Amino acid sequence: MHARQSPLSADRFFAPDPAQRRVARELYDGIADLPIVSPHGHVDPRLLADENATFGTPADLLIIPDHYVFRMLHSQGVPLEVIGVPRREGPADLAEPADPADPVGHRQIWQVFADHFHLFLGTPTGIWLAHELQDVFGIPEPLTGANAQAIYDELSDKLARPEFRPRALFERFNIEILCTTDDASDPLTWHQAIRASGWAGDVRPTFRPDALVNIGAPGWRSHLDALGRACGREITSCAALVTALEERRAFFKRMGATATDHGVESAYTAPLDAAEAEAIFARALRGEATADDARRFTGHLLIEEARLSVEDGLTMQLHVGAFRNHDRSVFERFGADKGADIPVATEFTRNLRPLLERFGDDARLTLILFTLDESSYARELAPLAGHYPAVRLGPPWWFNDSLNGMARYFDQVMETAGLWNTAGFNDDTRAFVSIPARHDVWRRASANWLAGLVVRGLVDEPGAVEMAHEMADGLARRAYRLGKA
Amino acid sequence: MHARQSPLSADRFFAPDPAQRRVARELYDGIADLPIVSPHGHVDPRLLADENATFGTPADLLIIPDHYVFRMLHSQGVPLEVIGVPRREGPADLAEPADPADPVGHRQIWQVFADHFHLFLGTPTGIWLAHELQDVFGIPEPLTGANAQAIYDELSDKLARPEFRPRALFERFNIEILCTTDDASDPLTWHQAIRASGWAGDVRPTFRPDALVNIGAPGWRSHLDALGRACGREITSCAALVTALEERRAFFKRMGATATDHGVESAYTAPLDAAEAEAIFARALRGEATADDARRFTGHLLIEEARLSVEDGLTMQLHVGAFRNHDRSVFERFGADKGADIPVATEFTRNLRPLLERFGDDARLTLILFTLDESSYARELAPLAGHYPAVRLGPPWWFNDSLNGMARYFDQVMETAGLWNTAGFNDDTRAFVSIPARHDVWRRASANWLAGLVVRGLVDEPGAVEMAHEMADGLARRAYRLGKA
Amino acid sequence: MHARQSPLSADRFFAPDPAQRRVARELYDGIADLPIVSPHGHVDPRLLADENATFGTPADLLIIPDHYVFRMLHSQGVPLEVIGVPRREGPADLAEPADPADPVGHRQIWQVFADHFHLFLGTPTGIWLAHELQDVFGIPEPLTGANAQAIYDELSDKLARPEFRPRALFERFNIEILCTTDDASDPLTWHQAIRASGWAGDVRPTFRPDALVNIGAPGWRSHLDALGRACGREITSCAALVTALEERRAFFKRMGATATDHGVESAYTAPLDAAEAEAIFARALRGEATADDARRFTGHLLIEEARLSVEDGLTMQLHVGAFRNHDRSVFERFGADKGADIPVATEFTRNLRPLLERFGDDARLTLILFTLDESSYARELAPLAGHYPAVRLGPPWWFNDSLNGMARYFDQVMETAGLWNTAGFNDDTRAFVSIPARHDVWRRASANWLAGLVVRGLVDEPGAVEMAHEMADGLARRAYRLGKA
């Protein structure tokens, strides 16, 4: 197979119709260079805490930590071990990359990757990788098995230079704000180090209490103990847990956080009375909580978290519908987040009602909803966002963060929700160097969608210009309360 | 935000490709001026019962009664009180509009609406409003906060003229038949008045027994009592209820009705034996019916209604999947139909089978199915319509009554169901002056879809011309048994 | 109604944009004449077992056995009896067609069909029929009620000629491999006859054990007895059943089979321990198995079949989501497969996990998944195929085997699964003469999709050329282990 990613063209991703393409290009040109506001993602803040941090080898940078990449190789029979994905017992350490001059096997990993690069043709990962190679590293020729080693050399050479260190790229990428995602008990050491360093980069934490909310997850007890240590006292009741979460939210807020994040398999919410909540918590402490206990406890705490958001003003994100660690064998050998999370159908109308009847009409709350089940877009999410003042719709998430995924989202959401009930773009990435590529895809897709409205007589061009700016900037700033530049 | 709705262009909503656009325009030109057959909607017949009725102020006309409009303002934090939506305890009265010269606060409501008009960019409501202002009222400039008061003046002036009274517009709109939706116990006073007035407008009732079928709804008992009064005897059994419904259907039919309408959250159908049906009815009379009783009773009565349709020839409409009054706070303050109904997933294959195995192969029945869950289109509805002689598919409903909603419907339904198993268009509107806009969107969307078939070699142009006429006229007439002009 | 199918144009089905159309045409030209590999379908092997077999009358060929055709006529009120669909008590016999010179009523059936031909406008059946008439039989003018008898004469004349016998068309169609679908107990008499005849056509069976796996289906016991006869011993336990299936698989494999096929309403899988499996089997033998027994037994046997596929290398196909024989009246009068199967929603993420945690990472297994519920495409199927080495996605199936169905599949599947985790095309047809038409639609749709990637800068043209070949040939060969030409 010799099929190759096309070199990046200036008009890429725009509809071929000349009239639409012309308008799309104009709209895109107006937003292409706006600063990046990244309100939700998973970049490791350690990368930015030390001014001398580097990305390691090309394999460290682009392959080993990126589940989008290795799950595709795995799907075609390449064992994760061959790709260098660390086993549970010996995790790789991002802060201590192997020697770039002679990393153990990384050239071989790179060759395997390049030999299979055609697998990414037409996929978002293929687009991001091409953008990274060409725009970030100045390597225009598409990667193939034949040029793999030469490109490895060139990448290694560049990665060793100061201008390719994380902070230098942060500035070159024109990132104005970068939000990370952090455990509720996290001391935010690296965020503190970034602040203490005097560097001007705006890196903010996001409060994610999933490990404490989900009493059914393995390791819940150890996470509870960590929370206790962070708060300086043992957590022995549900009430104490909520109080501790409230304290941690205040700490995160002082550290710059403007949002929380909640990842749940179902959007189920329902309040428990205090006695029920405490009884379930007590069972959880004894290791006796059932699956139904876990479901109900999560449904209760989501309402508590919404109440706290009304009080402290942190925007609440709800990511719904990932069945985590679907492949038991991969999980047992390699752990979580290894490309083996599979979506399930989601229901919002009935599940979210208990939360919304308490806080849905309260403009102090901003609740941003994400789903992996697009059948919810037009059926449930757009109508909810089009009615409740508190609700905004997050952009296409994960598998749907793609050109077609965005087109389907625009198509299915915007007519009912209206653009102003959406929340702009999230890159949601762990792969720092993919940030510009991801925002560029969104900006191009937005421009192309708006151009379609213009050529079909739905919006005039000045209107589309303003809408394009909202999509690239204003909507996300307001939804995440990130202020104006 | 200064983005504006584009002024209406002659080729609006057509694909930008010149070849497709040319064909779309030709097809559209052939149907644009056909009379409007409106087989299902919610216009208040009082508007047409008095030749001197007027629409009141611009706010009375376009904002206060239109949940499409005020739910969008509400979603962005504008309280319903500010928009003039009447509280439950003091409902506005369409027949007694406030003084147009100085209505209490209506200029202010209009200003708020105009200040937020950008929220409707790219939405169906935005399209309809632009069409109404430009085509119905001759106001070409797009509404903004700046020109709001001037446009209010112009609209007020026009609304006071005889040529903008409802009957005059009915005739100018070239409406051949308008069907309303009416409670089963309704004496059809206004329909009688229309007939008695000698006016030639063809306005027909539609029989909607939901309030009697749903024993779980608040107020069921009072609706049952109203039915008893309408029939001249107390309704004390399920058998008596069915007999009463049969009588009312006959009355509606004499008054011109050709259809019934049923709005249900689920498409569940299953017959009850007489003893079960009576036991549930008795519990309902005692106020002791459970949610499951209500579900089963509705499932039973849908089959009874289908049986009656086989006998009396009234087309049966089934609108499935709206979770009504989702926002408790809005419902308690403002009542039903306030933009807070949210769709749920719908299932037809298993749920409708008991009804279809009785009457699905009986050509005396026409059963028109509507859903708010588009995932049912290709999966269930098109295959059902493509097999059962009794089944036709209604057009995209409510949130899906939009340009993209129509495109998805054509895409997902037509290949399997075939055009002739669909039921043409419904405007389904409470907003009388939006009727031409809504039919125009359908006709343009139809023409554009057919043009796509022509340019891709699927249908020849003479064929497409005939199909366009079917979509604008023939399909609806036959499905609703409304005869030929 | 005089709307007609358009005569076949060289660029049919391609997007109208000139740039995309040019690329699509080039890509299509490169694959249009490739041999047909048909890895899954339902052609009767008797047609090819006798070199003198014929297709009978035009009605025998195109109408009476084709549920795609007669279900559409039925949906518009034409009784199946009028179309010549045989009643259960008197099934037609494909090998003994009526006298072509004077078949009982077949001219009349043809006339009814032609009079209703507009119903197929814009449908896949309409496309296939037009292709068959024009390309296979050289009749370019579209069928209408007016030319029906003349076309009947011309078709009858051609069907009587040697060059229109099944084997001659097999060769003219350039079919390299044709796979049929056969009951597990089938002695494969006709496949043996084809081999014995010395004819070079490559016709292979596919192992389908549904009738034995589904203990809840009517006739299960008689199918079990047939299996016993095929194996030469009574089957009295679940263990014996699995052993018998294993033997039959080996026989099918010797006869050229490379795949199995499983049609199930749900994708539920879960292993039973031996005692449970035997207890359920014993209840089934006594005629006492419940619906839940049937569900669990099928879920168990699917895992057993996957285990056997790991061992013997037969590719496993899973067709999920058809509610069979939905119309009881049609089933009672005419039997199964009469156009009255209706899809239901499907769930794969949770249901398939027990199977996948055993064999999903085992590259010896190829499991090809099919659904009738497109909401599963992006949500579940593409992520599963994009992770598990054993999983491939089958092409759009049945109602979705259409131009729009293919476009939706490409749109929703490819970005996440990647092209190489899909399985190429299946025609899945009972209608032998429709095979070229069906593959042509796929090839055109593929070329058009790839051209869209090219003009939007996602793939370069040489890459698209290779991808087009994969879609027309390579993917299916590898997924079904059918080797290279």
Side-chain angles (χ1 to χ4, degrees):
Chain A
M1 183 65 207
H2 305 95
R4 309 185 316 176
Q5 174 82 34
S6 187
L8 303 180
S9 74
D11 283 341
R12 64 187 182 275
F13 316 152
F14 298 152
D17 177 76
Q20 183 170 347
R21 182 165 284 203
R22 183 193 60 74
V23 177
R25 180 63 179 281
E26 285 179 15
L27 293 172
Y28 172 72
D29 285 347
I31 57 173
D33 297 327
L34 289 177
I36 287 174
V37 173
S38 175
H40 174 64
H42 298 272
V43 167
D44 188 334
R46 292 170 78 170
L47 275 178
L48 299 159
D50 174 359
E51 67 180 318
N52 295 315
T54 66
F55 290 108
T57 71
D60 285 324
L61 177 72
L62 295 177
I63 306 171
I64 295 169
D66 191 339
H67 61 70
Y68 287 79
V69 170
F70 59 70
R71 65 104 176 147
M72 183 65 90
L73 300 175
H74 176 261
S75 78
Q76 285 282 312
V78 180
L80 294 184
E81 289 86 347
V82 168
I83 312 165
V85 178
R87 304 286 293 233
R88 265 183 150 173
E89 58 268 28
D93 188 345
L94 185 64
E96 301 170 288
D99 176 6
D102 183 23
V104 182
H106 283 202
R107 280 189 176 278
Q108 177 56 26
I109 292 168
W110 185 261
Q111 188 67 47
V112 169
F113 169 62
D115 289 341
H116 290 82
F117 200 66
H118 63 276
L119 298 178
F120 300 100
L121 279 169
T123 71
T125 304
I127 289 171
W128 302 330
L129 289 167
H131 186 113
E132 288 161 47
L133 290 173
Q134 180 164 330
D135 264 32
V136 179
F137 294 101
I139 299 172
E141 71 250 67
L143 180 65
T144 65
N147 65 19
Q149 293 305 317
I151 287 181
Y152 189 92
D153 289 336
E154 186 169 351
L155 274 174
S156 297
D157 174 63
K158 288 186 171 160
L159 284 168
R161 299 187 202 166
E163 64 265 36
F164 287 93
R165 288 182 190 155
R167 284 191 177 181
L169 289 181
F170 187 102
E171 290 157 10
R172 184 175 137 206
F173 291 168
N174 198 15
I175 298 174
E176 184 183 314
I177 304 170
L178 180 70
C179 298
T180 63
T181 302
D182 312 272
D183 278 347
S185 310
D186 192 303
L188 303 179
T189 308
W190 309 110
H191 291 83
Q192 309 224 33
I194 292 169
R195 292 190 161 204
S197 74
W199 178 57
D202 191 350
V203 182
R204 295 159 179 266
T206 300
F207 179 77
R208 183 158 186 163
D210 291 356
L212 299 157
V213 167
N214 185 357
I215 58 175
W220 173 72
R221 187 54 195 264
S222 67
H223 285 285
L224 188 72
D225 293 343
L227 179 66
R229 286 193 298 277
C231 293
R233 62 183 181 276
E234 200 180 353
I235 312 294
T236 56
S237 68
C238 178
L241 172 61
V242 172
T243 301
L245 292 172
E246 193 170 359
E247 285 178 32
R248 298 303 297 167
R249 293 170 65 107
F251 168 64
F252 271 66
K253 195 172 168 182
R254 287 195 303 277
M255 290 298 296
T258 67
T260 69
D261 185 27
H262 306 266
V264 288
E265 197 173 304
S266 151
Y268 174 81
T269 65
L272 298 174
D273 64 34
E276 281 181 301
E278 296 301 350
I280 291 176
F281 189 86
R283 283 199 289 278
L285 280 183
R286 294 195 306 269
E288 295 169 2
T290 64
D292 192 56
D293 283 341
R295 187 180 68 90
R296 293 173 68 215
F297 195 75
T298 295
H300 174 67
L301 278 197
L302 287 178
I303 291 179
E304 288 293 286
E305 293 282 351
R307 181 180 61 75
L308 294 174
S309 276
V310 167
E311 292 172 6
D312 66 17
L314 294 180
T315 288
M316 181 175 182
Q317 297 176 91
L318 199 55
H319 286 86
V320 185
F323 185 115
R324 302 281 175 179
N325 308 314
H326 192 269
D327 185 329
R328 194 185 304 270
S329 157
V330 163
F331 179 68
E332 286 173 356
R333 287 179 295 147
F334 300 97
D337 298 322
K338 291 298 173 290
D341 300 336
I342 307 292
V344 292
T346 51
E347 201 285 334
F348 290 90
T349 302
R350 292 190 177 97
N351 278 325
L352 272 189
R353 194 178 183 223
L355 189 156
L356 292 173
E357 71 181 2
R358 279 162 186 73
F359 308 114
D361 284 328
D362 192 325
R364 290 174 295 175
L365 176 66
T366 300
L367 172 65
I368 306 180
L369 303 177
F370 297 83
T371 188
L372 296 172
D373 176 5
E374 294 172 307
S375 73
S376 306
Y377 279 170
R379 186 180 62 216
E380 301 172 37
L381 292 174
L384 286 168
H387 171 76
Y388 284 102
V391 176
R392 297 290 180 272
L393 295 194
W397 174 38
W398 201 334
F399 301 104
N400 301 320
D401 178 10
S402 68
L403 283 169
N404 293 335
M406 290 173 192
R408 292 193 296 266
Y409 174 85
F410 299 145
D411 176 69
Q412 293 171 30
V413 160
M414 294 300 190
E415 290 182 321
T416 291
L419 178 68
W420 281 267
N421 285 315
T422 62
F425 183 63
N426 290 180
D427 56 66
D428 200 11
T429 189
R430 297 163 199 277
F432 178 71
V433 296
S434 77
I435 290 175
R438 291 175 189 238
H439 285 262
D440 188 65
V441 171
W442 171 259
R443 291 174 184 189
R444 288 176 178 275
S446 299
N448 188 60
W449 171 63
L450 291 167
L453 297 185
V454 171
V455 295
R456 288 182 295 133
L458 286 150
V459 179
D460 61 9
E461 281 200 60
V465 167
E466 294 190 55
M467 293 168 85
H469 276 78
E470 286 289 87
M471 295 175 80
D473 185 282
L475 293 167
R477 279 188 203 270
R478 286 197 300 279
Y480 287 89
R481 308 189 179 186
L482 286 166
K484 192 60 196 167
Chain B
M1 182 66 206
H2 305 95
R4 309 186 316 176
Q5 173 83 33
S6 188
L8 302 181
S9 75
D11 283 340
R12 64 187 182 274
F13 317 153
F14 299 152
D17 178 77
Q20 184 170 347
R21 182 165 283 202
R22 183 192 59 74
V23 178
R25 180 65 179 280
E26 285 179 16
L27 293 172
Y28 172 72
D29 285 347
I31 57 173
D33 297 326
L34 289 178
I36 288 174
V37 173
S38 175
H40 174 64
H42 297 272
V43 167
D44 188 335
R46 291 170 80 168
L47 276 178
L48 298 160
D50 173 359
E51 67 181 317
N52 295 316
T54 66
F55 289 108
T57 73
D60 284 325
L61 176 72
L62 295 178
I63 306 172
I64 294 169
D66 191 339
H67 62 70
Y68 287 80
V69 170
F70 60 69
R71 64 104 176 148
M72 182 66 90
L73 300 175
H74 176 260
S75 78
Q76 286 281 312
V78 180
L80 294 183
E81 289 86 349
V82 169
I83 312 164
V85 178
R87 304 286 294 231
R88 264 183 151 173
E89 58 268 28
D93 189 345
L94 185 65
E96 301 170 289
D99 175 6
D102 183 25
V104 182
H106 283 203
R107 280 188 176 277
Q108 177 56 25
I109 292 168
W110 184 261
Q111 187 68 47
V112 169
F113 170 61
D115 289 340
H116 290 82
F117 201 65
H118 63 277
L119 298 178
F120 299 100
L121 279 169
T123 70
T125 304
I127 290 170
W128 302 330
L129 289 167
H131 186 113
E132 288 161 47
L133 289 173
Q134 181 164 329
D135 264 33
V136 179
F137 293 100
I139 299 172
E141 71 249 68
L143 181 65
T144 66
N147 65 18
Q149 293 305 317
I151 288 181
Y152 189 91
D153 289 336
E154 185 169 352
L155 274 174
S156 297
D157 175 63
K158 287 187 172 161
L159 284 168
R161 298 186 203 166
E163 63 265 36
F164 287 93
R165 289 183 189 154
R167 284 191 178 182
L169 290 182
F170 188 101
E171 289 157 11
R172 185 176 136 204
F173 292 168
N174 198 14
I175 298 174
E176 185 182 315
I177 304 171
L178 179 70
C179 297
T180 64
T181 302
D182 311 272
D183 278 347
S185 310
D186 193 302
L188 304 179
T189 309
W190 309 110
H191 292 84
Q192 309 222 35
I194 293 169
R195 292 190 161 202
S197 74
W199 178 57
D202 191 349
V203 182
R204 295 159 179 266
T206 300
F207 179 78
R208 183 157 185 163
D210 292 355
L212 299 157
V213 167
N214 186 357
I215 58 174
W220 173 72
R221 186 55 194 264
S222 68
H223 285 286
L224 188 73
D225 292 343
L227 179 66
R229 286 192 298 276
C231 292
R233 62 182 182 278
E234 201 180 353
I235 312 293
T236 55
S237 68
C238 178
L241 172 61
V242 172
T243 301
L245 293 172
E246 192 170 0
E247 285 178 31
R248 297 302 298 167
R249 293 169 66 107
F251 168 64
F252 271 66
K253 195 171 167 182
R254 286 195 302 276
M255 288 299 294
T258 67
T260 69
D261 185 26
H262 306 265
V264 287
E265 196 173 303
S266 150
Y268 175 80
T269 64
L272 298 173
D273 64 34
E276 282 180 301
E278 296 301 351
I280 291 177
F281 189 86
R283 284 199 289 278
L285 279 183
R286 295 195 303 269
E288 295 168 2
T290 66
D292 192 56
D293 282 342
R295 188 181 67 91
R296 294 172 68 215
F297 195 75
T298 295
H300 174 68
L301 278 198
L302 288 178
I303 291 179
E304 288 294 287
E305 292 282 351
R307 180 180 61 76
L308 295 174
S309 276
V310 166
E311 291 172 7
D312 65 19
L314 294 180
T315 288
M316 180 175 183
Q317 298 176 90
L318 198 56
H319 286 86
V320 185
F323 185 116
R324 301 281 175 178
N325 309 315
H326 191 269
D327 185 328
R328 193 184 306 268
S329 157
V330 164
F331 178 68
E332 287 173 355
R333 287 179 296 147
F334 299 97
D337 298 323
K338 291 298 175 289
D341 299 336
I342 308 291
V344 292
T346 51
E347 202 284 334
F348 290 90
T349 303
R350 293 190 176 97
N351 277 326
L352 272 189
R353 194 178 184 224
L355 188 156
L356 292 173
E357 71 182 1
R358 277 161 188 74
F359 307 114
D361 284 328
D362 192 324
R364 288 175 296 175
L365 176 66
T366 300
L367 172 64
I368 306 181
L369 302 177
F370 298 83
T371 187
L372 296 172
D373 176 4
E374 294 172 307
S375 74
S376 305
Y377 279 169
R379 185 180 63 215
E380 301 172 39
L381 292 174
L384 287 168
H387 172 75
Y388 284 101
V391 175
R392 296 291 181 271
L393 296 193
W397 174 38
W398 202 334
F399 301 104
N400 302 319
D401 178 9
S402 68
L403 282 170
N404 292 335
M406 290 173 191
R408 293 194 295 266
Y409 174 85
F410 299 146
D411 176 70
Q412 294 171 31
V413 160
M414 293 300 190
E415 289 182 322
T416 291
L419 178 69
W420 282 268
N421 285 315
T422 61
F425 182 63
N426 289 180
D427 56 66
D428 199 11
T429 190
R430 297 165 198 277
F432 178 71
V433 295
S434 76
I435 290 175
R438 291 174 187 239
H439 286 262
D440 187 65
V441 171
W442 171 260
R443 290 174 184 189
R444 287 176 178 275
S446 300
N448 189 60
W449 171 64
L450 291 167
L453 297 186
V454 170
V455 295
R456 289 182 294 132
L458 285 150
V459 179
D460 61 8
E461 282 200 57
V465 167
E466 295 191 55
M467 293 168 84
H469 277 78
E470 286 289 86
M471 295 176 79
D473 185 280
L475 292 167
R477 279 188 202 270
R478 287 197 299 279
Y480 288 88
R481 308 188 179 187
L482 286 165
K484 191 61 197 166
Chain C
M1 182 66 206
H2 305 95
R4 308 185 317 174
Q5 174 83 33
S6 187
L8 303 181
S9 75
D11 283 340
R12 65 186 180 273
F13 317 152
F14 299 151
D17 178 76
Q20 183 170 347
R21 182 166 283 202
R22 183 194 58 76
V23 178
R25 181 63 179 280
E26 285 178 17
L27 293 172
Y28 172 72
D29 285 347
I31 57 173
D33 297 326
L34 289 178
I36 288 173
V37 173
S38 174
H40 174 64
H42 298 272
V43 166
D44 188 334
R46 291 169 80 169
L47 275 179
L48 298 159
D50 174 358
E51 67 180 318
N52 295 315
T54 66
F55 289 108
T57 72
D60 285 325
L61 177 72
L62 296 178
I63 307 171
I64 295 168
D66 191 338
H67 61 71
Y68 287 79
V69 169
F70 59 70
R71 64 105 176 149
M72 183 66 90
L73 299 174
H74 176 260
S75 77
Q76 286 281 313
V78 180
L80 294 184
E81 289 86 347
V82 168
I83 312 164
V85 178
R87 303 287 293 234
R88 264 182 151 174
E89 58 268 28
D93 187 345
L94 186 65
E96 302 171 287
D99 176 5
D102 184 23
V104 181
H106 283 203
R107 280 187 176 278
Q108 176 57 24
I109 293 169
W110 185 261
Q111 187 67 47
V112 169
F113 169 63
D115 289 340
H116 289 81
F117 201 65
H118 63 277
L119 298 178
F120 299 100
L121 278 170
T123 71
T125 303
I127 289 171
W128 302 329
L129 289 167
H131 185 113
E132 288 161 47
L133 289 173
Q134 180 163 329
D135 264 33
V136 179
F137 292 102
I139 298 172
E141 71 249 68
L143 180 65
T144 65
N147 65 20
Q149 293 306 316
I151 287 181
Y152 189 91
D153 289 336
E154 185 169 352
L155 274 174
S156 297
D157 174 63
K158 288 187 171 159
L159 284 168
R161 298 187 204 166
E163 64 265 35
F164 287 93
R165 289 181 190 157
R167 285 190 177 183
L169 289 181
F170 187 103
E171 290 157 10
R172 185 176 135 203
F173 291 168
N174 199 14
I175 298 174
E176 185 183 314
I177 305 170
L178 179 71
C179 298
T180 63
T181 302
D182 311 272
D183 279 346
S185 310
D186 193 303
L188 303 179
T189 309
W190 309 108
H191 291 84
Q192 308 224 34
I194 292 169
R195 292 189 161 202
S197 74
W199 179 57
D202 191 349
V203 182
R204 295 159 179 267
T206 300
F207 180 78
R208 183 158 187 164
D210 292 356
L212 299 156
V213 166
N214 186 357
I215 58 175
W220 172 73
R221 187 54 195 263
S222 67
H223 285 286
L224 188 72
D225 293 343
L227 179 66
R229 286 191 299 276
C231 293
R233 60 184 182 277
E234 202 180 352
I235 312 293
T236 56
S237 69
C238 178
L241 171 61
V242 172
T243 301
L245 292 172
E246 193 170 0
E247 285 178 30
R248 296 303 298 168
R249 292 170 67 108
F251 168 65
F252 271 66
K253 195 171 167 181
R254 287 196 302 276
M255 289 298 296
T258 68
T260 70
D261 185 26
H262 306 266
V264 288
E265 197 173 302
S266 150
Y268 174 80
T269 65
L272 298 174
D273 65 34
E276 281 181 301
E278 295 301 350
I280 291 176
F281 188 86
R283 283 199 289 278
L285 280 183
R286 295 195 304 270
E288 295 169 2
T290 65
D292 192 55
D293 283 342
R295 188 182 67 92
R296 294 173 68 216
F297 195 75
T298 296
H300 174 67
L301 278 197
L302 287 178
I303 292 180
E304 288 294 286
E305 292 282 351
R307 180 180 60 76
L308 295 174
S309 276
V310 167
E311 291 173 6
D312 65 17
L314 294 179
T315 287
M316 181 174 182
Q317 298 177 90
L318 199 56
H319 286 86
V320 185
F323 184 115
R324 301 282 174 178
N325 308 314
H326 191 269
D327 185 329
R328 193 184 306 271
S329 157
V330 164
F331 178 68
E332 286 173 356
R333 287 178 295 147
F334 299 97
D337 297 323
K338 290 298 174 288
D341 299 337
I342 308 292
V344 291
T346 52
E347 202 284 333
F348 290 90
T349 302
R350 293 191 176 96
N351 278 326
L352 272 190
R353 193 177 183 225
L355 189 156
L356 291 173
E357 71 182 2
R358 279 162 186 73
F359 308 114
D361 284 327
D362 192 324
R364 290 174 296 175
L365 177 66
T366 300
L367 172 64
I368 305 180
L369 302 177
F370 299 82
T371 188
L372 296 173
D373 176 5
E374 294 172 307
S375 74
S376 306
Y377 279 169
R379 185 179 63 215
E380 301 172 37
L381 292 173
L384 286 168
H387 171 76
Y388 284 101
V391 175
R392 296 291 181 272
L393 296 194
W397 174 38
W398 201 335
F399 300 105
N400 302 319
D401 179 9
S402 68
L403 282 170
N404 292 335
M406 290 173 191
R408 293 193 297 265
Y409 174 84
F410 299 145
D411 176 70
Q412 294 171 30
V413 160
M414 293 300 189
E415 290 183 322
T416 291
L419 177 69
W420 281 267
N421 285 316
T422 61
F425 182 64
N426 290 181
D427 56 66
D428 200 12
T429 189
R430 297 163 198 278
F432 179 71
V433 296
S434 76
I435 290 175
R438 290 174 187 238
H439 286 261
D440 188 65
V441 171
W442 171 260
R443 291 174 184 190
R444 288 176 178 275
S446 299
N448 188 59
W449 171 64
L450 291 167
L453 297 185
V454 170
V455 295
R456 288 181 295 134
L458 286 149
V459 179
D460 62 7
E461 281 201 57
V465 167
E466 295 191 55
M467 293 168 84
H469 277 78
E470 286 290 85
M471 294 176 80
D473 184 282
L475 292 166
R477 279 188 203 271
R478 287 198 299 280
Y480 288 88
R481 308 189 180 187
L482 286 166
K484 192 61 196 166

